[in-house]
Amino acid sequence: MRYLVRDRMFAFHEEAWIETEHREKVLRVNKKLLRLRNTFHFVDTQGTVVASIVRKAWTFHHTILIKQDGRKVAKVSRKVFKLFGDRFKVKLADGRRLKIVGNLWDREFDIQERGSTLAHISRRLFSIRDAYSVDVLVPAETTLLLVLAVCVDHVLHEQRD
């Protein structure tokens, strides 16, 4: 299923909406500003926080924790010294490992597990800068894959600024 992530550029606090391809709102992403950590909360349409991204403000490596119900479910790390392209690795709490690979400069990348693509993220289909699609190929992992897409997009956006 295809999801669309739309950023609100001129909001007082940064927020984005994740919608289905039929424009039904699924999750709101709230970024908490002016804190020692960068924190994103993923809130469903009933107002319940379903996941969070937490990154300490002063770290050398881009290491980010993904939490659900107050417990860590994933750790996202960026390979710092990579000759050809940026790569991210994800270690899940259940021991599985995912890779995020592709053309990250153009924000065209895949989330993979053992060579199998779980989701494809692309800005290519949109003429406006602050929207991108997430094609989820494994519906059971939808929330995690959407959170990972926002996480990587945020790190890449920070790096460009």
Side-chain angles (χ1 to χ4, degrees):
M1 175 162 214
R2 176 169 285 164
Y3 294 88
L4 305 174
V5 181
R6 299 179 183 278
D7 298 336
R8 284 187 55 197
M9 294 171 52
F10 301 110
F12 177 71
H13 63 284
E14 293 184 36
E15 74 176 22
W17 277 100
I18 300 174
E19 305 171 342
T20 67
E21 59 190 333
H22 305 294
R23 304 270 185 172
E24 299 167 2
K25 292 185 177 184
V26 178
L27 295 172
R28 184 179 72 233
V29 184
N30 287 339
K31 180 179 180 184
K32 301 296 181 183
L33 298 174
L34 304 174
R35 300 194 177 200
L36 292 176
R37 298 173 175 224
N38 288 335
T39 304
F40 290 75
H41 294 296
F42 293 78
V43 181
D44 65 12
T45 55
Q46 288 79 33
T48 307
V49 176
V50 296
S52 298
I53 295 174
V54 179
R55 179 179 166 271
K56 292 181 183 178
W58 308 105
T59 59
F60 177 70
H61 300 287
H62 284 282
T63 300
I64 299 171
L65 301 178
I66 297 174
K67 296 183 176 185
Q68 287 181 316
D69 299 324
R71 58 185 170 79
K72 182 179 87 169
V73 295
K75 178 178 156 184
V76 180
S77 301
R78 183 170 182 190
K79 294 182 179 177
V80 179
F81 301 108
K82 190 71 177 166
L83 292 177
F84 300 105
D86 296 323
R87 302 272 194 284
F88 289 83
K89 59 183 179 178
V90 180
K91 183 177 180 185
L92 301 177
D94 63 8
R96 295 185 301 152
R97 295 181 186 271
L98 307 177
K99 290 192 309 183
I100 301 172
V101 297
N103 184 349
L104 300 178
W105 183 254
D106 290 331
R107 296 189 190 168
E108 187 86 22
F109 53 93
D110 292 333
I111 301 172
Q112 299 178 343
E113 180 179 22
R114 289 186 237 151
S116 173
T117 300
L118 304 177
H120 177 73
I121 295 84
S122 175
R123 285 193 181 264
R124 214 174 258 176
L125 299 174
F126 298 98
S127 59
I128 58 174
R129 192 177 127 201
D130 292 320
Y132 55 95
S133 68
V134 180
D135 291 316
V136 174
L137 306 175
V138 181
E141 307 263 359
T142 297
T143 302
L144 176 64
L145 295 172
L146 291 172
V147 170
L148 286 172
V150 171
C151 180
V152 171
D153 185 68
H154 170 67
V155 170
L156 295 174
H157 183 72
E158 257 188 358
Q159 183 182 21
R160 283 187 177 183
D161 292 344

